[in-house]
Amino acid sequence: MQSNGLPSEYFPLKTGLYWKYQYKGMPRQPVEVDVRITEQKKIEGKNYFHFSTWFNLTRSADAADTWIAWQNGVIYRWDGKNETSVFAPLAKQIELTKDHTGMQIETPAGKFSDVYRFHDCPGCADAGSEFIFARNVGIVSVSMSAIWGGAKYDLIETNAEGAASQPR
């Protein structure tokens, strides 16, 4: 089922939130990656939140100094000079779906069943990314594949409101 955008409760944004992920991928051994919202400010008319780290799916485990905003179902990234939509479900080759299968996504932080899946290249055999967002938690899993290999981030812990209610 195609969505018109990601509902805000699936990507909570406020200063002080953090998510800790286990990263597994090429060429590194598993490492922990901390993603923290450190401040908020208005940029280009949107409320942007500063992330100490963000997912960099181009062979490194993290990317520093990233500003993220959510507006009308679209997630935007500000790199200090330019604004780009990161998760825009109406763009070509983008699929954002509400998972109605009842399937649970399990990470070390718990089991999540109320999720949205974001695919940047559905049906691609050799490349693409998948982000899984859980209600009142945010991103619980990120995986990507490319010709050179793959990478995966799984949520270990967070202080987001919805994580406390998840079964372990």
Side-chain angles (χ1 to χ4, degrees):
M1 177 177 159
Q2 185 70 24
S3 169
N4 289 330
L6 182 70
S8 62
E9 66 267 22
Y10 288 84
F11 195 44
L13 295 174
K14 69 179 181 180
T15 302
L17 284 180
Y18 76 87
W19 300 264
K20 185 181 287 189
Y21 298 90
Q22 181 177 48
Y23 169 83
K24 296 177 187 173
M26 301 292 291
R28 294 176 152 190
Q29 296 297 317
V31 295
E32 289 185 1
V33 177
D34 288 324
V35 177
R36 296 178 181 273
I37 298 178
T38 58
E39 64 180 293
Q40 175 185 354
K41 73 177 177 181
K42 226 22 153 183
I43 304 173
E44 298 287 320
K46 295 177 184 72
N47 287 319
Y48 270 86
F49 296 84
H50 183 257
F51 282 73
S52 59
T53 305
W54 185 249
F55 304 98
N56 182 346
L57 299 178
T58 56
R59 296 191 184 190
S60 63
D62 53 45
D65 199 31
T66 296
W67 291 86
I68 300 292
W70 178 94
Q71 185 172 336
N72 299 325
V74 178
I75 298 173
Y76 296 91
R77 183 175 183 179
W78 176 260
D79 67 6
K81 296 178 186 173
N82 300 300
E83 178 179 75
T84 56
S85 58
V86 182
F87 302 106
L90 302 178
K92 189 176 181 183
Q93 296 296 317
I94 300 295
E95 180 178 279
L96 177 68
T97 55
K98 174 82 167 111
D99 192 330
H100 293 286
T101 65
M103 181 179 80
Q104 290 189 335
I105 304 302
E106 188 169 356
T107 75
K111 297 176 184 175
F112 305 91
S113 57
D114 188 357
V115 299
Y116 269 85
R117 295 171 179 270
F118 168 85
H119 299 269
D120 69 350
C121 190
C124 294
D126 61 353
S129 301
E130 177 183 70
F131 285 72
I132 300 175
F133 297 84
R135 178 187 292 272
N136 297 320
V137 177
I139 299 169
V140 295
S141 183
V142 177
S143 57
M144 65 84 59
S145 61
I147 292 171
W148 55 264
K152 186 165 177 62
Y153 296 85
D154 280 322
L155 185 66
I156 298 171
E157 71 178 66
T158 181
N159 64 348
E161 172 187 324
S165 64
Q166 300 302 319
R168 304 235 189 275

